[in-house]
Amino acid sequence: MSEYQYYEFTAIDGPISDEGLRYAQGCSSRAAVSRVRWQNTYTFGDFHGSVDTLLKYYDAHFYIANWGTVRLGLAFPKGAITPEMIQPYLRGGKRYEETLTVKEIGNRCIVCWERDEEGGWGWTEGEGVIDQLSGIREELMRGDYRALFLGWLADFDPEEWQNPEDDAVVMPPISAGLDRLSPALEALIEHFPVDRDALAVAAGLSEASTPDRVPMAAVLERLSVPEMRALLARVAEAGGSGVMAELNRLTYPQAQTPVAQAIRCTEFAAKTITTRNTRQKKEAGVAAAKRQREAELRKQHLATVIQRADTLWSGLDLLMDQKIASAYDQVAAQLLELRDACAQAGDVSGFEQKLGGFRRRYSNRPAMLRRIEKL
């Protein structure tokens, strides 16, 4: 299997500095580098820069390799999101080498989701994924911590939480709005999967989704004249993208910091397992009903085949006269139908007798005989 690694960084708040651009250009001679994006695909060799250093300049990073590693890194300005807010979503309140991690680099806070799929996933592509995921950064800056909870949930295995000795361990705060995920969060759980039943339980425990956005006109009316002048000055100084991001952020009602509900992980695991069992039982019932319907339809169809058996048998020779592969395929399919119809009607011997005659007539057609050798 050939090697595939894809690295991409993108600037969200505005173009990176001259210093950042010089460093970005020095990381690779083949990468596509600009003030707003850095991307490169490796089929041999490796990335020679520092992800942490590039995240001092760019705001988002996505990496995927066909041996099973995928990573999303988001960089936040100092004060936009603090490590203390993220700590509850790190297992045991500590950093750990699983899905969700956080660290500070200079004046930036870096939140990272990472997954290693044992055995890899064969062919994969990373182009365009960062654009699907970068909306998570805005959500976190608005105080919407669903992405953090989903990062914690990605490591939650209900089977591991059935020991009464773990009763003292409680879940992190469950964010509101888990019943209606944004496109960015849907993309997140596509690359960092969560237990579907655990998510359903969490959605049932979370508060309702947040209200709809506030019209931009209403946001602008609330700004004072000095605030408007300051924003226009930033636009004139090439800070338009950052201003636009801030204004868009104001159109969303500020999400309330989720409050821990003191739900034990063992209790959550038990609810998840119960939900899973209920779902599987329901799905099994639906599948059984579907099989029964299909069996009845098949029975009715074979009954019509028996009624047309003589016509079908006589029509086989006309198909054989065409001496082409597609006609042979039709003959094989009709013989299979006739076999099943005769078996349903209790006339297996009659079918075998006619099949034997067919084989003798066309003993010099090996391509046809191969198609029906298992009949």
Side-chain angles (χ1 to χ4, degrees):
M1 181 174 63
S2 62
E3 178 179 300
Y4 174 87
Q5 294 186 81
Y6 180 79
Y7 285 83
E8 185 167 2
F9 298 81
T10 185
I12 298 174
D13 289 344
I16 65 174
S17 64
D18 292 342
E19 175 190 2
L21 183 61
R22 284 193 296 270
Y23 180 80
Q25 291 171 332
C27 290
S28 172
S29 60
R30 297 188 301 109
V33 183
S34 73
R35 291 184 183 273
V36 295
R37 195 175 297 268
W38 191 108
Q39 58 186 142
N40 199 16
T41 299
Y42 296 89
T43 53
F44 60 89
D46 207 349
F47 177 64
H48 296 297
S50 164
V51 170
D52 287 352
T53 300
L54 279 176
L55 282 174
K56 290 170 61 178
Y57 307 109
Y58 294 101
D59 302 308
H61 161 56
F62 181 75
Y63 167 80
I64 194 167
N66 62 349
W67 54 71
T69 299
V70 59
R71 179 173 61 241
L72 168 68
L74 299 176
F76 298 88
K78 186 174 182 179
I81 183 171
T82 64
E84 291 74 22
M85 296 304 302
I86 304 169
Q87 281 298 323
Y89 299 96
L90 305 180
R91 186 169 293 178
K94 302 176 182 178
R95 288 182 56 185
Y96 60 101
E97 297 301 324
E98 295 191 43
T99 298
L100 187 65
T101 58
V102 60
K103 57 184 171 183
E104 290 185 297
I105 302 175
N107 63 349
R108 310 201 97 190
C109 176
I110 311 297
V111 182
C112 186
W113 294 256
E114 186 162 340
R115 169 192 176 200
D116 290 295
E117 182 72 18
E118 186 176 351
W121 36 51
W123 176 252
T124 187
E125 292 185 353
E127 289 84 349
V129 176
I130 197 169
D131 295 325
Q132 300 172 25
L133 294 168
S134 58
I136 293 171
R137 185 174 183 269
E138 277 298 311
E139 292 176 1
L140 288 170
M141 292 181 75
R142 296 197 303 266
D144 182 343
Y145 297 133
R146 288 178 294 176
L148 301 181
F149 180 79
L150 293 173
W152 177 88
L153 198 62
D155 293 319
F156 185 83
D157 182 354
E159 306 296 337
E160 295 179 354
W161 291 94
Q162 300 188 62
N163 190 335
E165 294 180 1
D166 295 325
D167 280 349
V169 183
V170 298
M171 294 178 63
I174 300 177
S175 304
L178 291 174
D179 60 323
R180 189 177 65 180
L181 299 181
S182 66
L185 293 176
E186 292 284 3
L188 181 71
I189 62 176
E190 178 182 344
H191 291 89
F192 305 92
V194 301
D195 184 294
R196 59 184 291 194
D197 300 304
L199 179 57
V201 172
L205 295 170
S206 72
E207 297 179 5
S209 299
T210 54
D212 294 331
R213 295 177 64 175
V214 177
M216 179 64 76
V219 170
L220 295 176
E221 286 178 1
R222 292 201 296 260
L223 296 176
S224 65
V225 172
E227 287 174 327
M228 292 288 285
R229 287 175 176 168
L231 291 175
L232 288 172
R234 288 172 56 193
V235 171
E237 295 170 357
S241 59
V243 169
M244 200 68 237
E246 289 182 22
L247 290 174
N248 277 322
R249 204 169 297 144
L250 292 174
T251 66
Y252 289 87
Q254 183 67 23
Q256 295 183 350
T257 302
V259 179
Q261 301 177 22
I263 299 173
R264 301 190 305 272
C265 287
T266 52
E267 178 186 353
F268 183 71
K271 289 178 179 292
T272 298
I273 292 172
T274 298
T275 299
R276 177 188 300 164
N277 292 339
T278 301
R279 173 182 58 80
Q280 291 176 342
K281 184 176 180 180
K282 181 179 179 180
E283 289 175 350
V286 171
K290 180 181 178 182
R291 288 193 299 270
Q292 185 175 358
R293 289 195 302 272
E294 291 173 346
E296 182 59 33
L297 290 173
R298 177 68 173 167
K299 182 178 179 180
Q300 295 172 10
H301 171 69
L302 293 177
T304 66
V305 172
I306 280 293
Q307 295 172 1
R308 298 182 290 113
D310 291 341
T311 302
L312 291 172
W313 278 112
S314 62
L316 297 181
D317 293 326
L318 294 175
L319 287 169
M320 292 300 296
D321 289 343
Q322 297 181 32
K323 298 181 180 181
I324 58 176
S326 59
Y328 288 176
D329 290 339
Q330 291 182 57
V331 170
Q334 290 185 20
L335 285 170
L336 178 61
E337 294 273 81
L338 285 164
R339 183 200 66 182
D340 292 348
C342 289
Q344 179 175 288
D347 188 20
V348 175
S349 60
F351 171 78
E352 291 179 345
Q353 183 179 3
K354 290 185 177 182
L355 179 63
F358 178 87
R359 281 182 166 138
R360 286 190 295 272
R361 287 198 306 278
Y362 299 106
S363 59
N364 62 341
R365 306 276 187 94
M368 183 67 243
L369 295 179
R370 282 196 298 271
R371 286 169 165 81
I372 60 173
E373 60 185 356
K374 294 184 179 180
L375 283 178

